[in-house]
Amino acid sequence: MLHIAKRRTVADRVFTGGLIACGVLAIVPLISVVWTTLSRGSERLDIDFFTQSMRGITGAGGGALHAIMGTLLITASATLIAVPIAFGTALWLTEYAASTTSPAVKALARTVRGVIDVLAGIPSIVAGLFMYAVIALTLGPGYRSGFAGAVALALIMIPVVERSGEEVLARVPAELKEAGLALGAPQWSVILRVVLPTALPGLVSALLLGISRIIGETAPLLLVAGFTDSMNYNLSAGRMISLPVYVYSQWQNKGVDAQAYDARAWSAALVLLAGVLLLHGLAGLVIRLQRQNRQVRRARR
Amino acid sequence: MPLKQFGRELLVIDVLAPSDTVRSSGARHENAPHLSEVYPPGAPQLRQASHRDVLRIFSVVAAVVTLLLLGGVVVFLAIEGAPALAGTSENLPAGASSIWALAGPLLFGSLWASALAIAVAAPLGIGVALFSVLVMRGALGRWLGTAIDVLAAVPSVVYGLWGLMVVAPQTVRIYNWLATHLGWIPFFAGQPSTTGRTICTAALVLAIMILPIVSSVSREAIRLVPSSSIEGAQALGATRQEMIRRVVLPEARSGIMAGIMLALGRALGETMAVAMVLSATPFLVSFRLLSSQNPGTVAAYIAQNYPEAHGLEVNALVWLGLLLFAVTFVVSFFARLVVRRSSGGSR
């Protein structure tokens, strides 16, 4: 009897030890990634890095202003394209398709959900190739622009934002909607004045997470936006580089002074990482603020 | 229509219109008569307001655009990729005799690297999830969960740089040790790589990238296990290990499987990190982990060869992209099948 109990205790200890080891082991790469990026990235994080492009630079010096501007322009336009489609689809699924009894609409809603699942699984490079195929078949294979990159990124962003948006919209309490409808408001008015304001913080956080998902994308931009050493503020024509592509091209096309290229790559990686973490932090903050607000309101009652 | 002159009446009628109302809540009491029974649909004047619903039109258009997007992806990739089917060793990348001779080894490489990554990430991710929910309850466990989720936010180029400059050099000594002492195992046979840019390193980096997917989905699945089941097992005197093995894991199985399949799809499509870390040899099919000769992956091959490709080579890369999409689609399809079956089985 006794040794069975002992064996069980030992098995339990070993197992728990294994779980603790998993927890510790999983943290190691995170610390390593963040630490390496911080220590190697801070080397070239000077004023030049934020005020100069790489035009005419073949060794040390230069900066990533063109890549930072490119990232901002491309990400902003991708967001502008993706958001109406993503939130519109989410709204249709949660509000309109859910309130119908027509079997045709129900089937359509199921299809749309399935399509979103498939879209969410598209590898990012395939999104880039798709955009290349569209360009090659319409404008000719040589066309590169920031806008083409933005469309490819929007394709990646739509399922991400739609899914979390749908989740947020579905969580709006039915009582609120019913109260609005019972007061005689038409459905569009209930959506605009009740559903959307209630869901707003969640939608904002869905949006921020969607942006953080695409801001680090490299592969699609590599294919359709290309890389350049110069500034380009024109989204519709000419190659436009973004920070992740900058990291890749600095590493890939090293000149004579390899150290300088590596240092710039790490600095760009650091800026990128900081941006992504900031977006994540903001998304979390928005949600937390909303929760606090709700608790305060509940307490007042 | 006289109704239009009386805004108030219109509103009332809108409330009663069967298409737009209380049905949306889903909270209707089961025994209550449905609105459509009280006000049967088909009375034309009741549908007035919905015609002016701009919001509805907008959302329908958005949904249709989403539908068309998927069709567009498949059609455009197929049209632009199809010419590569007629390619010969004259005009295909790397002098491949046909597109399939090029695609086969690369598809193998993608599947092999992803399988290795899952072999590392699945046990680790489930372990982390169990640890943060059942062992480290409270703030520290939550903090660990958030920290692991940060791993998911790190862009893949950063992982590429890190894998290349930190992981690969560190692993060279380990690989040498493995090759000398465990070289009789076929996976470790042969001369180990001197740069560390092997499929094993690539798979390790991939594993770290997909770890947060496995762990966050598993964490949600484990949280959903009823606490009454867990407390019941504990009340019967089960140790933590017994409780996890007999109660938690069987209950959370379908959720955990879903997480693993999701992670597999992600690993298959990962491009930049693999393209930067792995030094690949074309047309190679090999199970050796530590060699300097490694099979490439589809996604990384596309990214590496696209900048210099011209003519039919580009069409070949587009066709490879379509194949990759098909493979990830099949994986996610089977994932859903597995999840449905295992969740049906446990009930």
Side-chain angles (χ1 to χ4, degrees), chain A residues 23 26-27, chain B residues 122 124-152 211-226 230 248-249 251-260:
Chain A
I27 281 296
Chain B
L124 194 61
I126 298 169
V128 171
L130 288 171
F131 177 73
S132 65
V133 179
L134 297 172
V135 181
M136 266 301 165
R137 295 169 198 226
L140 197 60
R142 264 202 309 279
W143 180 83
L144 180 73
T146 320
I148 300 294
D149 288 347
V150 168
L151 274 176
L211 178 70
I213 303 176
V214 179
S215 90
S216 67
V217 178
S218 305
R219 203 164 61 219
E220 291 310 310
I222 292 166
R223 279 217 188 105
L224 284 179
V225 175
I230 293 174
V248 176
L249 287 183
E251 287 257 1
R253 197 179 59 191
S254 71
I256 291 173
M257 285 302 287
I260 291 175

Side-chain angles (χ1 to χ4, degrees), chain B:
Chain B
M1 283 276 176
L3 283 169
K4 279 195 178 162
Q5 292 150 17
F6 299 100
R8 182 173 280 267
E9 262 171 317
L10 190 69
L11 281 181
V12 171
I13 282 161
D14 188 53
V15 169
L16 300 178
S19 63
D20 287 10
T21 47
V22 189
R23 263 180 243 173
S24 63
S25 73
R28 193 170 58 91
H29 194 276
E30 277 182 10
N31 296 328
H34 197 277
L35 260 180
S36 62
E37 293 159 28
V38 188
Y39 297 93
Q45 75 275 20
L46 294 184
R47 303 190 62 90
Q48 270 292 309
S50 65
H51 288 294
R52 306 187 309 180
D53 194 337
V54 180
L55 203 58
R56 170 189 292 256
I57 295 165
F58 163 73
S59 74
V60 169
V61 169
V64 170
V65 168
T66 311
L67 272 182
L68 293 181
L69 267 181
L70 181 63
V73 170
V74 175
V75 167
F76 275 100
L77 286 179
I79 294 177
E80 186 61 19
L85 288 172
T88 59
S89 55
E90 309 271 294
N91 47 21
L92 282 177
S97 57
S98 77
I99 182 76
W100 304 108
L102 181 73
L106 289 174
L107 283 172
F108 162 80
S110 285
L111 290 169
W112 177 228
S114 308
L116 288 171
I118 290 289
V120 176
L124 194 61
I126 298 169
V128 171
L130 288 171
F131 177 73
S132 65
V133 179
L134 297 172
V135 181
M136 266 301 165
R137 295 169 198 226
L140 197 60
R142 264 202 309 279
W143 180 83
L144 180 73
T146 320
I148 300 294
D149 288 347
V150 168
L151 274 176
V154 177
S156 57
V157 268
V158 179
Y159 276 117
L161 273 189
W162 176 73
L164 185 79
M165 297 196 194
V166 179
V167 183
Q170 294 288 331
T171 50
V172 172
R173 277 172 59 202
I174 304 172
Y175 292 162
N176 279 328
W177 188 89
L178 283 174
T180 34
H181 293 89
L182 296 171
W184 49 272
I185 301 174
F187 291 136
F188 300 143
Q191 186 68 32
S193 156
T194 50
T195 56
R197 294 173 62 182
T198 65
I199 192 134
C200 187
T201 310
L204 277 179
V205 174
L206 272 182
I208 292 160
M209 296 179 74
I210 61 177
L211 178 70
I213 303 176
V214 179
S215 90
S216 67
V217 178
S218 305
R219 203 164 61 219
E220 291 310 310
I222 292 166
R223 279 217 188 105
L224 284 179
V225 175
S227 56
S228 57
S229 307
I230 293 174
E231 282 156 15
Q234 283 169 333
L236 288 171
T239 62
R240 184 185 285 140
Q241 180 239 351
E242 288 160 347
M243 177 262 285
I244 287 173
R245 215 185 64 205
R246 305 252 169 100
V247 177
V248 176
L249 287 183
E251 287 257 1
R253 197 179 59 191
S254 71
I256 291 173
M257 285 302 287
I260 291 175
M261 287 295 185
L262 203 63
L264 179 61
R266 207 51 177 302
L268 281 170
E270 178 46 47
T271 311
M272 296 320 290
V274 180
M276 291 169 83
V277 170
L278 183 65
S279 111
T281 312
F283 306 120
L284 185 71
V285 175
S286 157
F287 286 101
R288 289 190 178 175
L289 297 179
L290 315 178
S291 162
S292 54
Q293 307 265 305
N294 297 289
T297 72
V298 179
Y301 185 85
I302 297 170
Q304 282 168 334
N305 290 277
Y306 179 87
E308 264 105 57
H310 56 86
L312 200 71
E313 290 174 10
V314 187
N315 299 98
L317 294 181
V318 173
W319 189 258
L320 284 180
L322 186 63
L323 285 180
L324 180 65
F325 182 28
V327 170
T328 51
F329 177 75
V330 169
V331 165
S332 68
F333 180 78
F334 274 106
R336 243 169 284 163
L337 214 66
V338 165
V339 169
R340 206 171 296 160
R341 188 172 297 169
S342 64
S343 65
S346 68
R347 250 159 234 159

Side-chain angles (χ1 to χ4, degrees), chain A residues 19-280:
Chain A
L19 292 187
I20 294 173
C22 279
V24 174
L25 211 61
I27 281 296
V28 171
L30 176 66
I31 293 172
S32 174
V33 168
V34 173
W35 171 248
T36 320
T37 313
L38 267 179
S39 62
R40 301 201 57 173
S42 53
E43 209 178 300
R44 258 309 313 276
L45 211 65
D46 44 29
I47 294 185
D48 279 358
F49 191 79
F50 293 100
T51 52
Q52 291 185 14
S53 73
M54 284 298 291
R55 194 181 181 95
I57 306 260
T58 47
L65 180 64
H66 58 317
I68 293 171
M69 287 314 297
T71 295
L72 293 178
L73 285 171
I74 291 175
T75 310
S77 34
T79 308
L80 284 180
I81 300 166
V83 160
I85 299 177
F87 285 156
T89 307
L91 204 60
W92 184 73
L93 284 172
T94 52
E95 297 298 321
Y96 293 106
S99 65
T100 177
T101 47
S102 138
V105 176
K106 285 235 147 90
L108 186 66
R110 257 201 312 280
T111 317
V112 170
R113 282 215 172 84
V115 163
I116 287 160
D117 279 347
V118 178
L119 282 179
I122 288 188
S124 61
I125 188 138
V126 174
L129 283 172
F130 158 68
M131 206 48 219
Y132 166 78
V134 171
I135 290 169
L137 292 168
T138 52
L139 299 167
Y143 178 80
R144 297 280 179 280
S145 79
F147 183 74
V151 177
L153 291 188
L155 181 65
I156 300 168
M157 192 173 174
I158 286 169
V160 178
V161 176
E162 195 282 336
R163 275 175 161 184
S164 35
E166 196 184 328
E167 214 170 279
V168 170
L169 287 172
R171 244 184 272 143
V172 173
E175 290 87 347
L176 288 182
K177 293 186 224 170
E178 280 161 16
L181 292 169
L183 286 171
Q187 193 173 12
W188 60 266
S189 163
V190 170
I191 289 174
L192 282 185
R193 304 209 179 141
V194 178
V195 176
L196 290 183
T198 315
L200 190 65
L203 294 179
V204 170
S205 117
L207 177 64
L208 290 172
L209 289 178
I211 295 174
S212 85
R213 170 82 175 70
I214 58 160
I215 202 167
E217 275 301 344
T218 319
L221 297 179
L222 198 66
L223 302 195
V224 291
F227 33 74
T228 171
D229 284 339
S230 319
M231 303 295 300
N232 178 10
Y233 291 103
N234 186 356
L235 273 165
S236 61
R239 287 157 190 270
M240 185 183 267
I241 199 166
S242 71
L243 268 176
V245 180
Y246 179 85
V247 173
Y248 180 70
S249 74
Q250 287 296 317
W251 166 77
Q252 175 80 347
N253 312 313
K254 274 182 207 147
V256 191
D257 188 2
Q259 285 272 314
Y261 285 84
D262 278 347
R264 278 193 296 263
W266 279 110
S267 293
L270 177 57
V271 174
L272 192 59
L273 191 62
V276 172
L277 293 185
L278 189 73
L279 283 168
H280 262 252

